[in-house]
Amino acid sequence: MEYNHEHKSERISWIRAVVLGANDGIVSTASLIIAVAASQAAGDNLFTVGMAGLVAGAMSMAAGEYVSVSSQTDIEKAELALEKDHIQNNWALEVEELANIYHERGVELPLAKQVAVQLMEKDAIGSHARDELGITDLSQGNPLQAAIYSALSFSAGSSLPLLMILLVSQTALIPAVICISLLSLVVLGCISAHAGGASKTKGAIRVLLWGSLAMAVSMGVGSLFDVSI
């Protein structure tokens, strides 16, 4: 029997960006279309409204991801610079600190000190970054990559409810948007769970529940207004 030791953790950063972008694209654009359609707005304007939501949302997602990941990266760099200074000026104390971390994890203290010394002699910054600060290659994101993934996935998600405006009549638009959006959310939840090695059922139910709630609230708000735009 072949032993499969493959892990999915290296996919975490891009899975999060893609799922967040696609989920927001589906839910926000569908909710916007449903709210405007429920307000009895003129049908000719619905596509323009939806397209504006797609463009604005994609740019917002890209900017938000870039700023967020960049801020995280800046903080990590500052922490590593501070840790480097501590190591240069307090080597013995930093060895002791690292040894105590291993000891608290169950390693006997003499062995923990021996491991701490050997690891710091090989890679002092890397050892403290990983075991003291929790900074690893997997935790460090790429701001530009995250921004691109988010913008593209948001646009892809938004295009599904937006397409319904072109394919169905205005009287059937709300049910069509709801159906395609809920189906898309289920598929998205299953795909993202599969990519991450998690439960497909839990992934599908999670995005379906919150997506349904967002569209229901949007439809209720839109129904309160009987306007044409």
Side-chain angles (χ1 to χ4, degrees), residues 39 79 118 172 185 192:
S39 70
E79 286 291 297
Q118 291 180 356
L185 288 173
S192 61

Side-chain angles (χ1 to χ4, degrees), residues 142-159:
N142 183 315
L144 184 59
Q145 182 187 66
I148 293 174
Y149 280 162
S150 293
L152 291 178
S153 58
F154 185 97
S155 300
S158 294
S159 65

Side-chain angles (χ1 to χ4, degrees), residues 37-78:
S39 70
Q40 305 302 315
D44 294 340
N45 295 315
L46 277 175
F47 187 80
T48 302
V49 171
M51 183 58 70
L54 185 156
V55 174
M59 293 301 98
S60 176
M61 286 292 298
E65 281 290 331
Y66 188 87
V67 171
S68 175
V69 177
S70 295
S71 298
Q72 176 185 335
T73 302
D74 290 343
I75 293 172
E76 290 174 346
K77 288 181 178 178

Side-chain angles (χ1 to χ4, degrees), residues 51-107:
M51 183 58 70
L54 185 156
V55 174
M59 293 301 98
S60 176
M61 286 292 298
E65 281 290 331
Y66 188 87
V67 171
S68 175
V69 177
S70 295
S71 298
Q72 176 185 335
T73 302
D74 290 343
I75 293 172
E76 290 174 346
K77 288 181 178 178
E79 286 291 297
L80 291 175
L82 181 62
E83 192 62 30
K84 182 178 181 179
D85 182 68
H86 288 169
I87 292 171
Q88 289 175 343
N89 296 305
N90 302 282
W91 178 272
L93 290 178
E94 291 300 312
V95 169
E96 194 73 22
E97 183 178 38
L98 200 60
N100 288 333
I101 292 174
Y102 299 145
H103 180 57
E104 290 175 358
R105 293 176 181 174
V107 181

Side-chain angles (χ1 to χ4, degrees), residues 103-142:
H103 180 57
E104 290 175 358
R105 293 176 181 174
V107 181
E108 294 183 358
L109 191 56
L111 179 58
K113 290 182 178 180
Q114 182 181 356
V115 172
V117 170
Q118 291 180 356
L119 287 177
M120 287 188 63
E121 287 177 348
K122 180 179 178 64
D123 183 9
I125 294 295
S127 300
H128 279 271
R130 179 182 62 251
D131 296 318
E132 181 187 351
L133 303 177
I135 299 175
T136 66
D137 291 338
L138 293 178
S139 69
Q140 295 178 310
N142 183 315

